[in-house]
Amino acid sequence: MTSVPAAAVPRHIAIVMDGNGRWAKARHQPRSFGHNAGRKAVREAVESCLREGVQALTLFAFSSENWQRPQDEVGALMNLFVRALDKEVDELHGYGVRLRFVGDLTAFDEPLRRRMQSAMTRTADNDKLQLNVAVNYGGRWDIVQASRQAAAAVARGELQADQIDEARLGKWMSLADAPPLDLFIRTGGETRISNFLLWQAAYAEFYFTDTLWPDFDQACLRGAIEDYARRERRYGRTGEQVAATTAQVS
C-alpha cells in the first residue's frame, strides 16, 4: 500500500453514494435492501477517514430531488435514517466524530428532526472528524438560501449590496465552517455531480468509480486518496509556479 504524506491527504472529502438500487437489483432484492447494505460502506468510509487524518467527510444521503422517487422507497429511506440514528450515534460519539445534518430539514417530520438535533447536540464538541450528512439538500438550494441571508442582511442595513462578494456569501453556505472541499467522489459509474455542493466543488478534484456504493470499502477510499495525492493542485497557476512554491516550503 502506497504511503500518502499527511500534507497530501485531502482535508475534506465528499461522496455521492450511488448504486444502492442496482446493487440490490443484481441480487434480486428490493432497492431498500441496497440502501440498508450501504450503511456498512458509510461505516467503512468514516473509519477510513479517521485513520487517514481527513478532517471532514460529507455524504450525499438524500437530495431534494429524491422526494420524486417511489413512495415506498422514500419511506424505507426515512426508516433507515431513524434506525441509523438510534444505532450509530453512540459509536460515532465514541470515535470523536462530530455529526451534522445539512439541508432543508423542515421537510422531515418532527420526530425525525428531534433525533437529528439530539445527535448533533450530543456530538457537537467532538473534533476527530466532522461528518456532514446532506439530507433534502441541493447545491442550488444552498446558494439560494445563502443569497436570501445576504439580502436580509442588506435589508437590515448591516452591509451594502456592493459589499457582497464570494467570501461574504460563502459564510452563509451550509458548510461554511468545514475545510474547503478537496476531493469529490461519486460511486456507481455515473459521471455527474447531481446538484451536490455546487459552490463548494469549484476547485475540488473529481474521482468517479464504477464500484457500487455497498461495495465501496476502505481499500476503495484509500485508492481514491492515493489518486488525489498524485494530482497537481494548481488553482489557476502554472505547474512551474506550483513547483517553485513547493520548493520554497520544503
Side-chain angles (χ1 to χ4, degrees):
M1 183 176 291
T2 304
S3 175
V4 177
V9 172
R11 295 160 295 177
H12 184 177
I13 297 175
I15 306 178
V16 178
M17 305 179 292
D18 196 16
N20 291 335
R22 282 170 285 158
W23 187 90
K25 184 177 181 181
R27 290 157 178 78
H28 307 289
Q29 296 289 339
R31 293 176 64 87
S32 58
F33 183 78
H35 292 308
N36 191 57
R39 287 176 56 187
K40 180 178 181 291
V42 170
R43 189 177 298 111
E44 295 246 342
V46 169
E47 292 177 358
S48 185
C49 285
L50 286 165
R51 182 177 298 109
E52 299 288 347
V54 175
Q55 298 174 34
L57 172 65
T58 301
L59 302 176
F60 203 10
F62 191 83
S63 76
S64 50
E65 290 80 18
N66 284 156
W67 294 107
Q68 303 174 59
R69 293 193 173 190
Q71 187 173 358
D72 58 344
E73 182 178 355
V74 173
L77 281 168
M78 295 302 105
N79 289 332
L80 180 61
F81 286 157
V82 171
R83 294 201 307 273
L85 284 172
D86 289 344
K87 293 181 179 179
E88 308 291 347
V89 172
D90 286 346
E91 186 173 4
L92 291 172
H93 186 53
Y95 282 146
V97 175
R98 177 190 176 196
L99 178 61
R100 288 187 59 210
F101 293 94
V102 296
D104 183 4
L105 305 186
T106 62
F108 299 106
D109 62 33
E110 182 61 27
L112 181 52
R113 289 204 305 273
R114 284 199 301 268
R115 279 183 166 90
M116 291 179 180
Q117 187 57 56
S118 176
M120 289 190 287
T121 299
R122 184 176 182 196
T123 62
D125 294 330
N126 295 336
D127 58 6
K128 297 296 184 183
L129 174 69
Q130 179 175 326
L131 174 60
N132 308 301
V133 180
V135 287
N136 196 29
Y137 175 91
R140 291 176 176 176
W141 166 85
D142 203 357
I143 295 170
V144 167
Q145 66 85 23
S147 301
R148 286 175 174 168
Q149 292 189 63
V154 171
R156 292 191 299 267
E158 296 173 2
L159 77 163
Q160 300 297 313
D162 59 5
Q163 293 178 313
I164 300 174
D165 55 17
E166 291 183 16
R168 281 194 170 89
L169 192 61
K171 292 179 180 179
W172 283 300
M173 293 292 168
S174 294
L175 298 178
D177 64 339
L181 180 60
D182 288 326
L183 177 59
F184 185 113
I185 299 171
R186 179 166 187 153
T187 65
E190 302 291 354
T191 54
R192 58 179 179 272
I193 62 175
S194 296
N195 195 25
F196 186 40
L197 301 181
L198 299 181
W199 177 277
Q200 295 85 350
Y203 274 101
E205 297 292 328
F206 289 85
Y207 182 89
F208 299 105
T209 174
D210 291 334
T211 303
L212 302 178
W213 176 243
D215 293 326
F216 194 82
D217 57 15
Q218 294 187 40
C220 293
L221 185 56
R222 175 71 181 192
I225 291 174
E226 290 176 352
D227 181 85
Y228 168 87
R230 291 191 292 269
R231 301 188 189 186
E232 185 178 66
R233 306 273 279 157
R234 293 195 296 272
Y235 297 101
R237 298 171 295 171
T238 66
E240 290 76 11
Q241 287 174 307
V242 173
T245 301
T246 303
Q248 291 173 2
V249 173
S250 301

